Amino acid sequence: MRIILLGAPGAGKGTQAQFISEKTGAIPVSTGKIIRSAVKNGTPAGTIAKRYIDVGRLVPDEIVIEMLKERLKEDDCKDGYILDGFPRNISQALALDKMGIDIDIVIDILVFDSDVVERLCGRRVCDNCGATYHVDAKPSAKGELCELCGGILITREDDKPEIVLERLRVYHAETEPLLRHYNAQIKLRTMRSFPTVEDTAKGVLAILGESAV
């Protein structure tokens, strides 16, 4: 299946993509991870992207689309994938159409803005392996160090309070119109995020099960 996960920053799209992958074999494709890798490696596209990320703005469509094109050409995407973080606006959705990609289902995970702020501002990421923790919901047993590799846990620049609020503003302005776009195509399914990751996963998998019937 070719699946799109929509939702505000911090809605848990990446986590749910992993659950879906385990059940269906579809490969999670996160534009966020693609972009962060480019930034970390100092590629030309990554250098440009960093300027936008540091002030809470979205990376320009043309840069994201070129990165995504290269990723979807890889062999592991041939039997299905889950797009996490793309498309974010109508322009990107139309770019998918031009790429000849026929999406099977779009799932929008709803979450309150106040919950997003709490989730993201408390998130900590290993600067070495990328493992994710949360100061309240999922603290590392090693304190400020990663349980997996011992790397230092950091707060991503785009998880700082002022940046999170700006990301939400941009999300509501540019991403929500996608709901109307995919609803018109009869591909949109909407669900509320549950308090636990497991319950949210059950809801997502139930939607996928119904769509496969």
Side-chain angles (χ1 to χ4, degrees):
M1 296 184 72
R2 292 174 175 177
I3 304 162
I4 289 175
L5 291 183
L6 295 180
K13 299 185 294 297
T15 300
Q16 295 308 318
Q18 289 296 333
F19 273 100
I20 295 171
S21 179
E22 291 171 7
K23 296 294 183 179
T24 69
I27 299 299
V29 176
S30 166
T31 52
K33 288 183 178 179
I34 294 172
I35 293 170
R36 286 192 292 275
S37 176
V39 170
K40 184 176 182 179
N41 294 328
T43 67
T47 300
I48 296 173
K50 187 176 187 302
R51 300 172 190 165
Y52 292 85
I53 294 171
D54 286 349
V55 294
R57 295 178 60 190
L58 295 179
V59 178
D61 289 351
E62 61 270 19
I63 296 175
V64 178
I65 291 167
E66 285 305 313
M67 291 180 176
L68 182 65
K69 281 182 180 178
E70 293 304 311
R71 178 67 183 91
L72 296 184
K73 289 178 182 177
E74 297 181 21
D75 289 341
D76 61 348
C77 291
K78 291 182 178 179
D79 295 326
Y81 45 81
I82 308 140
L83 294 181
D84 163 18
F86 189 96
R88 292 181 184 272
N89 54 48
I90 294 297
S91 176
Q92 291 181 352
L94 295 177
L96 279 182
D97 294 339
K98 290 181 180 179
M99 290 164 64
I101 294 175
D102 185 20
I103 298 299
D104 296 299
I105 187 169
V106 179
I107 301 176
D108 179 40
I109 303 175
L110 301 176
V111 59
F112 293 114
D113 283 2
S114 57
D115 291 336
V116 169
V117 173
E118 181 180 351
R119 290 181 187 183
L120 295 188
C121 293
R123 181 164 62 181
R124 299 295 182 268
V125 180
C126 176
D127 69 347
N128 181 51
C129 72
T132 302
Y133 301 86
H134 190 279
V135 293
D136 296 319
K138 186 187 175 184
S140 170
K142 294 185 178 180
E144 297 300 314
L145 300 179
C146 176
E147 294 178 4
L148 301 179
C149 71
I152 299 174
L153 300 185
I154 62 171
T155 300
R156 281 177 15 194
E157 187 68 27
D158 55 347
D159 281 346
K160 294 181 178 179
E162 64 277 13
I163 300 298
V164 170
L165 292 173
E166 175 62 13
R167 291 172 68 191
L168 282 169
R169 185 195 68 77
V170 172
Y171 168 76
H172 290 304
E174 297 197 14
T175 306
E176 288 189 340
L178 282 174
L179 304 182
R180 295 190 293 272
H181 177 75
Y182 285 116
N183 190 49
Q185 295 183 3
I186 319 178
K187 294 180 178 179
L188 179 66
R189 305 292 185 275
T190 301
M191 62 167 287
R192 174 67 65 185
S193 175
F194 290 93
T196 68
V197 170
E198 292 75 16
D199 285 341
T200 301
K202 289 178 182 177
V204 170
L205 292 175
I207 289 174
L208 290 177
E210 291 171 0
S211 69
V213 174

